[in-house]
Amino acid sequence: MIEKALVFSENEFGKVDGKVANGLIRYSERYKIVGIIDSTKAGLDAGECLDGIKKGIPIFSSIDDALEKLNYIPKYFIYGIAPLSPFLDKEQRQIIITAMEKGMDIVNPLPEFFADDKEFMQKASECNVKIFDFRKPPKRKGLHLFTGKIFENKTPVIVVTGTDCAVGKMTTARIIVEALKKENINAVFIATGQTGLLQGAKYGMALDVLTSGFTTGEVEKAIIDAVNTEHPDIIIVEGQGGLSHPAFNSSSAIIKGSNADAIIIQHPPKRKSRCDFPTIPMPTLESEIKLNEMFSKSKVIAITLNDEDMTDTELINTIAEYEDRYQLPTTNVLKYGCDNIIKKIFEVFPEILK
């Protein structure tokens, strides 16, 4: 049974730091999302607000507003904001406490683990609710070092990487997997971040909370487990950050641990500086393609675009420009689908066509 969940995304829904809430509205196998909390967009439909497609999921102004209008208490309260700072301030902590007092179990995707917080644990005990720290890794004895078994893998692996964090790599990877499944291809998604895991991914781990010695091993283990269990035709791996991004190391671990056979790269053409780092300029798409191909020893086979701050005309013109310049299929998967990318995947990996 899929339990109902309320997602908190105050002042961030549809924005970069609201990516957890955004992802759960677009796709969720684990939870039935019954509402978003964001007072700046209260009264709107979450799907229509996000992508122009009604989902029947309302946006509420507060926890009290949500529970009054829903007329029941959802099982889970998900903190759906992914800010640069991993620690909650006093006001944000009160939101969690209020949700517990209302009787909801807490789902925490932050790298700040609530189960290590004495106040939160005491409140959870008083309210008879549970806390789930989704990014908390297993103890060291439960983690895996790189073994080299990935070099024996014969199943094609594509990594969806990007020029920055929060550009839509996970969403693009998910949509490509679903499109392949519609073509009767047994495609498996590997999650490497909290949103993919919250959505219900069977394979993967939030890499950014691991010590560096285990990151490549955990990527390798997830792929080998998926191959041995699902016997897939192809595997699509969610990227993290960007290979050239100075703040994140997980991109290199994903490429190394997956032994990527091909790369799809996601890019926001109008973004001027790194997400949450206004003094660090964005790399060019060309430089990131060259870096990924050199580092992975694989080819970039497609470009997917994030249309933030772009008009539809700008997006269409940029797609045409990039296809001409890079001679690669280019699209925005949310607006225009990914038929051209699926066609390219079949060209590069004809063996997956049965």
Side-chain angles (χ1 to χ4, degrees), residues 40-51:
T40 66
K41 298 176 176 66
L44 301 177
D45 178 274
E48 189 169 31
C49 180
L50 189 61
D51 297 318

Side-chain angles (χ1 to χ4, degrees), residues 319-334:
I319 288 172
E321 176 193 342
Y322 284 8
E323 288 192 329
D324 181 63
R325 184 190 306 177
Y326 299 106
Q327 294 296 296
L328 292 172
T330 305
T331 189
N332 174 293
V333 298
L334 284 169

Side-chain angles (χ1 to χ4, degrees), residues 143-153 213-225 228 253 256-259:
L143 294 171
H144 301 86
L145 294 170
F146 186 79
T147 67
K149 290 180 181 178
I150 193 68
F151 298 122
E152 301 170 10
N153 172 48
F214 293 104
T215 50
T216 55
E218 286 300 328
V219 174
E220 177 190 52
K221 177 70 163 48
I223 292 172
I224 298 302
D225 283 351
N228 291 338
K256 289 178 180 178
S258 68
N259 190 32

Side-chain angles (χ1 to χ4, degrees), residues 6 18 151 275:
L6 188 62
F151 298 122
C275 175

Side-chain angles (χ1 to χ4, degrees), residues 99-101 103-106 123-131:
M100 287 193 277
E101 290 175 342
M104 289 180 280
D105 291 344
I106 305 300
K123 178 58 70 172
S125 179
E126 291 173 1
C127 298
N128 195 30
V129 299
K130 296 177 181 179
I131 289 175

Side-chain angles (χ1 to χ4, degrees), residues 310-318 336:
M310 300 182 78
T311 66
D312 286 346
T313 299
E314 287 176 324
L315 179 59
I316 290 169
N317 289 341
T318 302
Y336 307 125

Side-chain angles (χ1 to χ4, degrees), residues 142-324:
L143 294 171
H144 301 86
L145 294 170
F146 186 79
T147 67
K149 290 180 181 178
I150 193 68
F151 298 122
E152 301 170 10
N153 172 48
K154 304 301 182 184
T155 303
V157 175
I158 298 176
V159 172
V160 180
T161 187
T163 55
D164 196 10
C165 61
V167 293
K169 298 180 288 290
M170 187 274 299
T171 297
T172 290
R174 277 285 194 191
I175 289 173
I176 290 172
V177 167
E178 293 306 307
L180 286 166
K181 287 180 177 179
K182 288 180 180 178
E183 297 291 332
N184 294 317
I185 302 299
N186 183 9
V188 171
F189 171 73
I190 305 293
T192 56
Q194 71 273 22
T195 306
L197 296 171
L198 282 168
Q199 289 176 327
K202 290 173 63 178
Y203 302 97
M205 184 176 292
L207 298 181
D208 60 356
V209 294
L210 300 179
T211 54
S212 60
F214 293 104
T215 50
T216 55
E218 286 300 328
V219 174
E220 177 190 52
K221 177 70 163 48
I223 292 172
I224 298 302
D225 283 351
V227 168
N228 291 338
T229 304
E230 310 289 341
H231 308 290
D233 300 312
I234 193 167
I235 289 175
I236 310 295
V237 183
E238 170 196 11
Q240 293 292 321
L243 192 55
S244 68
H245 202 304
F248 306 107
N249 293 320
S250 47
S251 282
S252 61
I254 291 166
I255 290 173
K256 289 178 180 178
S258 68
N259 190 32
D261 296 297
I263 304 276
I264 293 171
I265 194 162
Q266 179 103 0
H267 178 60
K270 295 294 284 288
R271 190 178 291 185
K272 302 300 183 184
S273 60
R274 299 281 195 182
C275 175
D276 291 323
F277 295 91
T279 62
I280 304 178
M282 283 285 291
T284 64
L285 177 58
E286 183 175 4
S287 68
E288 203 73 12
I289 289 173
K290 288 181 178 178
L291 179 62
N292 274 272
E293 290 188 336
M294 179 181 66
F295 189 82
S296 68
K297 297 182 174 59
S298 299
K299 288 293 185 182
V300 171
I301 64 169
I303 299 166
T304 52
L305 299 184
N306 179 312
D307 65 341
E308 65 180 42
D309 300 324
M310 300 182 78
T311 66
D312 286 346
T313 299
E314 287 176 324
L315 179 59
I316 290 169
N317 289 341
T318 302
I319 288 172
E321 176 193 342
Y322 284 8
E323 288 192 329
D324 181 63

